[in-house]
Amino acid sequence: INSDGSILAQRGNPSLPMFPRSSLKSIQASAMVRLGLDLEPRLLALVCASHAGTTMHQDGALEILAKAGLDASALMCVIDWPLDGHSVEPTRLAMNCSGKHAGMILTCHINGWPIDSYLEPTHPLQIAIKKEVEAMSGEKVVLTSIDGCGAPLFMFSLTGLARAIRALTISSDPVHQRVVQACRDYPEMVSGQGRLATRMMQNI
């Protein structure tokens, strides 16, 4: 899309509904910050991450959980291997979404919401995230399913996703600016050293 939000180029039909999956993490994080999640930029970037599961990323997720007085046993994401291949067994901390899940748990703790049901689509946290997605995309979510990490997954159009990312990038909302700046300041937390997303942010 162009800077004014109009379509610059397209292939196929971008108005068809699809699942944006991890493309939504910074928008999910924005909803959490709006709900009171207050983390230093390094850890906020991890909440937005599809990370490599390195020790740095796993320790960061533990730091977030510790702020709620919890440990890795509170995570409800699936287990996975870190991408560096140095682990002897898969864990929930190594799963690339563990930072996002830790952020969700801490947001629930801050608001006094149940933690054991934080992945339910009817949970106040997930309702708030859905509202943030709809507000930024300018579209209604047409279907809610479950992502590979276990979190609710929202279906809307590719055009809506493009509008949402544009809105996040140019937003004057302090919440959005805080999320975007955290990722720019700590790109290694968003993905990992040598990985494409990190290298792109380091060279912008």
Side-chain angles (χ1 to χ4, degrees):
I1 58 176
N2 292 301
S3 59
D4 65 0
S6 61
I7 294 178
L8 170 65
Q10 69 182 63
R11 183 176 297 236
N13 185 356
S15 67
L16 292 175
M18 55 89 201
F19 287 121
R21 303 202 65 200
S22 289
S23 301
L24 281 184
K25 283 180 178 172
S26 54
I27 297 172
Q28 292 169 309
S30 295
M32 293 182 229
V33 172
R34 203 175 301 285
L35 290 166
L37 182 66
D38 186 14
L39 293 171
E40 62 176 276
R42 174 180 61 89
L43 295 179
L44 181 55
L46 185 63
V47 175
C48 302
S50 290
H51 62 71
T54 65
T55 299
M56 171 181 67
H57 298 117
Q58 295 189 43
D59 288 348
L62 286 173
E63 284 185 63
I64 296 171
L65 291 167
K67 294 179 183 296
L70 298 168
D71 58 25
S73 65
L75 292 171
M76 297 180 69
C77 54
V78 299
I79 62 173
D80 204 357
W81 298 87
L83 294 183
D84 61 13
H86 292 155
S87 178
V88 295
E89 62 181 15
T91 65
R92 296 189 196 282
L93 282 172
M95 201 271 164
N96 75 85
C97 298
S98 66
K100 178 183 76 175
H101 281 252
M104 288 179 171
I105 290 168
L106 180 55
T107 302
C108 291
H109 173 75
I110 291 168
N111 287 277
W113 293 333
I115 290 173
D116 58 358
S117 59
Y118 77 92
L119 295 181
E120 294 294 328
T122 55
H123 192 285
L125 170 66
Q126 302 302 337
I127 291 172
I129 289 174
K130 181 180 178 181
K131 288 180 179 177
E132 187 85 14
V133 169
E134 291 180 334
M136 295 185 69
S137 67
E139 296 183 11
K140 289 292 186 182
V141 169
V142 298
L143 180 68
T144 300
S145 186
I146 301 174
D147 207 346
C149 70
L153 180 60
F154 304 118
M155 176 178 272
F156 57 102
S157 78
L158 180 62
T159 304
L161 176 62
R163 289 197 195 102
I165 298 302
R166 170 187 173 272
L168 180 72
T169 305
I170 67 172
S171 178
S172 59
D173 185 332
V175 168
H176 296 151
Q177 291 181 341
R178 184 176 172 189
V179 169
V180 169
Q181 196 59 49
C183 294
R184 289 174 175 159
D185 289 345
Y186 292 91
E188 69 280 1
M189 297 301 287
V190 177
S191 188
Q193 290 296 341
R195 300 190 74 202
L196 180 60
T198 294
R199 289 192 287 114
M200 287 179 67
M201 285 188 283
Q202 288 171 334
N203 289 282
I204 288 177

